Each structure stands twice: as C-alpha cells, then as structure tokens.
Amino acid sequence: MLSKEEVKKVAALARLDLSEEEIDVLTPQLANILGFIDQLKEVDTTNTEPTAQVTGLSDVFRADELENWDKSEVAAALSQSPAGLEGNQIKVKKVLEQD
Amino acid sequence: MGIDMKLNELTIKQAIEKLDAGEITAVDLARACLDRIKEVDDKIKACLTVCEKEAIEEAKKADERRAKGEKGGLLGIPYIAKDIIMTKGVRTTAASKILENYIAPYDATIIKKLREAGAVLLGKANLDEFAHGGSTENSAFGPTHNPWDQELVPGGSSGGSGAAVAAEMCIFSLGTDTGGSVRCPASFCGVVGLKPTYGRSSRFGLISMTSSTDVPGAITKTAEDAALVLQAIAGHDKYDASTPEEAVPDYGEELKNSPLLRGVAEGRGVLAGLKIGLPIEYYGEGLSPAVRAALEEAKKKFIELGTELKDISLPHSKYAVPVYYIITPSEISSNLARFDGIKYGFSEPEAQNLLEVYSKSRGKGFGREAKRRIMLGTYALSAGYRDAYYLQAQKVRTKIKDEMDAALREVDVILTPTQPTVAYKIGSFTSDPLQMYLEDIFVIPASLAGLPAMSLPCGFDAGLPIGLQLIGARFDESKLFQVGCQYQKATDWHLKKPSL
C-alpha cells in the first residue's frame, strides 16, 4: 500500500509542490490506480521484447550540422522567459549559495 | 444539399467545388464560420482563441491565389486547431495555466503544411489540459459543452475540436490522438475522427504528451473529407525522426479507383471481398445496449455492402488500459519536466531559490490530472519500480501490437464500437479518475499498436450520437477511407446535426 511519505518523496523527485490536502486526495487515488495496474503481473512475458516504438524504424541518423533557425523565431522564443534576458541568455536564480 | 444550407455547414468537398466554380469566396466562407462561432460558442465554449483578423487576411490571400489559377486541395478552407498545436504568433496554451500567456514562436509542421495549402486558421480549440483526459473537463479554462446536449461532455481530449465541427463553427478541425483523443470526441459529437498511423503525420510543434503514441489527426464531417486533410498533413518530416519515409498515396485517386469496388462490376455488393474482423473482446460486458444495437445495425449494413464478417480474438485487449496508464504517465512525467518556470510559461514570483522556482511554478501551474499523471509516471520510473511497471507494460504492449498485426493479416479492417457509451454528464467522474480511464478501453489498443483508426457516426441513443471504429493495418489509412466512404454512402447518420 502506498503511503503518504512515499507520495511526498515522489513529489519531491518530480519537483512538484503539493499541498497536504492534495497529498491526502492523491494517495488513495494513486494506490487505487496502481492496484488496477497490478494485473499486468499475470501476463507471461518471458521471451517478449519490450516495445518502445512501433514504426519499425531504428537508429535514425542525420548529419550533426548546425542549422540556422529563423532569427525572429529565436527572438520570439527567448522573449518568453519569465525572468528576462541578459544578452541572449535566459536569467536563472543563483544555483550555488555563498557561505 | 438544401438551398437554405449555410456556408459554414459545407463539407470540404462541397466548399472546394463552390470555391473552384467561383460561386463563393474564401472570405465568405471564413466570415460564415466566424459568425457561427459568435452565435453559438458562448454556449459550447469550443474555442480558447479566435483569430478573426488573421483569418480574414489568410482568406483574402487564398482568394488571390485562386484568382491566379490555383485550385482544389484545401485552398481557402477554414479550420480550427486543437490548442496543443503550435501556431506562430498565436497564443498556444495546451489548456493549462502554466502556458496561459504563451505565444508560439513557430508553426508546427502540420500547421505549416496547411498554411502552404492555403487553409485558413480560425482559432484554437479547447482540450483537456495537455490532452490528459477524455472529456475536456480537465481544461484550466473550463469545460466544453456537447452541442447535442450542453449538460454533457463533448469527449476528449480534443473536445473543442469535436464540438466545433459538430456545431458547424468550421469546415474541419485538427486534433491529436494519444489514446483515443480524436476518436472519442468524434464519437460523442457525431462527426468523423481520424487517428492516422503513428508517424504518418509529424509531431513537430505539438506540445508533447506521450511521444511514443502521440499523432495529429483530423475531425471532419465525412470520411472523404478526412482523406483530404490527411493528404495535406501526412508525410516524412526531418524535424520528427519518428516519421518514416513512407510514400503518401493519392487518397482521392484511390477512393475513385478503389480495388475494393470490384464487387460492383460483378453485380455483388460494393465492398465484396472485403474481410472485416469483429474482436469478441470488444463486444462483451460493459457495452451499453444502445451502442451494441447500433453496432449490430452497422454489421448488417456492411453485410449488405458485400463484406464478409469474421469473429476474431484479441485476448490481450483487456490489458490495454493498464499498459497505457503506465506508459503514458511515464512519458508525461518526462515530457512535462520542461515546464520549469525558467524558459517560458508561468513562474512563481515569490520563489526564494532555484528549487522553489521549479516546484512552486509546477505546483501552481499544473492542474489536477496533470499532477496525477506526473506523480504516477515518476513513481513508475523511480528506482525499484521501473522493471515491475514500465518494462512489464512495454512487454505487454508488444503482445497487444503483435496480436493486432496478426489479425490484420487475416482481415482487411477491424470493426469495433468507439466508446462503450454515449456522452455522459459533465462532472460524472470527477472523483473517480480510474473509472474515467476505463472509458477509453476500445480506443487505446490501436494507439499502443500505432495503427490507423477512424470513428464514424453509426446511430443514436435517445438523441445522442454513437460512433463505430474501423482499425486498419499500419499506413493503410486509404482502406479506412474507402470503407468509410462506402458506409457513409449507404447511411445518413453523419448528415444529422444538433439543433442549437
């Protein structure tokens, strides 16, 4: 059975801030869904390869060449960063704290 | 066609004939649709954004191109795109608070192709947030209402796209289908929904949900129109490595010279020689009596058309929902990791440090179902659980795919109901997500196997539309169009419209 502590740990891994109330609702819901999914264990999959994609393509290569993207589209994409830009760089909060 | 038929009520085929004959202009057509949106969308809430000015500009350009001698295709045809598809310069929200003010900096490949074909973008359609859901109730901007009964859901996740076509706000719409998201609303709204083969139409510029099953498709008024839209959006794209360099047939030509039509010359049914498989697992318990009766009628119609019906068995179908609800949340937890409050989208202004920027922006920006799926996926992929859940689900996926492929070597197409019931009341499953997931039981297998599938109207239950689903072999959409067209020539379910 999934515990509230496990749910909190998963939320931390997912970088997802959840309220106590949300955790109370999610815990039994996730347990219920995982219980339903448990029926997959009854399928014999010895000698069955996993399927990750279905097109039959494998190892699609392309030349590792720099392609210039439309400048106005690049500017439009960069302009949406919430903390703004410095030159062509997106600003982020400090990663390392000073002692 | 009735003489009082309005322009927004035309099919693509009818509209192109009138445009090419010079009877109407693309501007007339766009205006008729925009007027209809103004008239009914307060009630339906299919559109999140309407780009009136841009649409009229594009329609004018289409008229100029036609004046210079261009014809046919989708030149001047107005459409609405699901708001998970990037449209340059136009707000693209995925129906999420986290992207509420996001302006797409470039066009998705399918939008670019439609622009080149001269189709006219009218606006962006509502959906379940990030396409997570089957009812459009998970939109951060409120639900869309079913045009047949506004207390009911339109299906989802492409619910706005389905409702917009059913309510004649556009000539066709684009949706995306990951586990039934085009077919479910088509069924609930009484229109045609095409999910192409995985990889047939490019995913470049879709806001990713489940990269191994996502595929953009069309919602139209007829099967023939679905062929016209796929013709325009299909094909290899260098920006989507999962699109094979598979030739795209001329669907119109194949419809005219269908090898399936040989029965006519021999004095048999028009689809003589065609084998249709009926998977016994899809006709068991859980199917509503009205849907079962409608499918029985459809079977009779297919026999009249000369086809041979054959019971088949797809025993792993029952595992499709549990497989889907491991693979999908797993891919979602990874795909939604890009929403971090830094590059674009909502960012929590009160965050004190980098970690808080991530977790608080995501905690405030995502809705209930997106959070549920991120949690489920992160759990399924985390240390100690990956083999038990994710790897086992991928192996069962192989079994589902292999048995469907094998069945489609014995029969030409598979016939099933699209949904076990007709549309239900808004709010029915709010507190029971698992029950809602089970509604997708008939549409998920074709998604996991990557097969093309199409939902067509096939009857009514107390005034609400019922859909049938045709599933075809990989990259054989053409056969679905041929079978669908003949079915629609023999029936008139697709001609019935909601009164609004």
Side-chain angles (χ1 to χ4, degrees), chain B residues 225-475:
Chain B
D225 278 6
L228 294 170
V229 179
L230 186 63
Q231 195 78 61
I233 64 170
H236 170 71
D237 177 13
K238 69 169 179 172
Y239 296 124
D240 176 0
S242 59
T243 53
E245 296 197 38
E246 184 85 22
V248 180
D250 184 332
Y251 297 117
E253 203 50 47
E254 296 204 350
L255 275 175
K256 262 187 257 163
N257 304 313
S258 169
L260 295 177
L261 302 176
R262 58 182 173 260
V264 185
E266 297 162 15
R268 297 187 292 156
V270 71
L271 292 177
L274 184 89
K275 282 195 191 124
I276 295 183
L278 306 167
I280 49 173
E281 293 79 7
Y282 286 62
Y283 294 89
E285 286 170 43
L287 196 56
S288 86
V291 173
R292 187 185 300 280
L295 264 292
E296 284 307 316
E297 281 304 308
K299 286 183 205 169
K300 279 187 203 150
K301 196 51 80 176
F302 281 115
I303 291 171
E304 280 172 33
L305 291 170
T307 65
E308 183 192 324
L309 303 187
K310 191 182 164 197
D311 279 337
I312 57 170
S313 178
L314 300 170
H316 288 86
S317 303
K318 66 170 177 172
Y319 298 112
V321 177
V323 166
Y324 185 79
Y325 279 98
I326 284 298
I327 289 177
T328 294
S330 297
E331 294 191 29
I332 285 169
S333 71
S334 162
N335 271 327
L336 295 195
R338 74 194 62 186
F339 298 98
D340 56 6
I342 289 175
K343 300 182 290 295
Y344 41 71
F346 172 76
S347 188
E348 168 57 44
E350 305 297 318
Q352 297 302 311
N353 55 46
L354 191 62
L355 186 63
E356 277 191 16
V357 175
Y358 300 147
S359 60
K360 288 191 192 292
S361 301
R362 290 161 63 76
K364 280 195 185 170
F366 290 130
R368 261 194 313 217
E369 182 64 20
K371 286 179 181 171
R372 194 150 44 225
R373 294 192 186 197
I374 290 170
M375 291 293 289
L376 204 51
T378 307
Y379 179 82
L381 292 177
S382 61
Y385 299 107
R386 188 189 162 272
D387 286 4
Y389 287 111
Y390 187 66
L391 196 61
Q392 176 69 356
Q394 281 191 313
K395 287 179 177 175
V396 181
R397 181 178 182 184
T398 304
K399 294 206 171 245
I400 292 168
K401 171 182 174 284
D402 287 352
E403 75 185 15
M404 291 183 90
D405 283 344
L408 285 160
R409 286 192 285 272
E410 304 295 319
V411 298
D412 293 281
V413 293
I414 293 172
L415 169 67
T416 80
T418 308
Q419 293 287 311
T421 63
V422 292
Y424 45 83
K425 276 217 159 111
I426 290 172
S428 299
F429 298 114
T430 312
S431 56
D432 193 351
L434 180 56
Q435 206 52 44
M436 169 97 84
Y437 296 169
L438 289 169
E439 286 283 306
D440 294 333
I441 189 152
F442 301 144
V443 280
I444 285 177
S447 289
L448 292 174
L451 300 171
M454 184 162 64
S455 179
L456 301 169
C458 72
F460 285 86
D461 177 12
L464 300 174
I466 297 170
L468 65 79
Q469 173 178 233
L470 296 169
I471 304 171
R474 200 162 283 110
F475 294 107

Side-chain angles (χ1 to χ4, degrees), chain A residues 25-84:
Chain A
V25 174
L26 269 173
T27 305
Q29 281 181 348
L30 294 177
N32 189 26
I33 295 165
L34 288 168
F36 169 73
I37 286 164
D38 265 344
Q39 61 179 294
L40 291 181
K41 289 184 183 145
E42 71 195 40
V43 185
D44 181 5
T45 53
T46 7
N47 305 322
T48 307
E49 289 292 317
T51 292
Q53 59 87 23
V54 290
T55 52
L57 292 171
S58 63
D59 302 336
V60 179
F61 292 109
R62 62 169 171 78
D64 186 17
E65 284 164 357
L66 194 67
E67 195 180 326
N68 284 321
W69 203 264
D70 180 293
K71 281 203 172 68
S72 66
E73 292 186 358
V74 172
L78 287 172
S79 73
Q80 312 218 24
S81 83

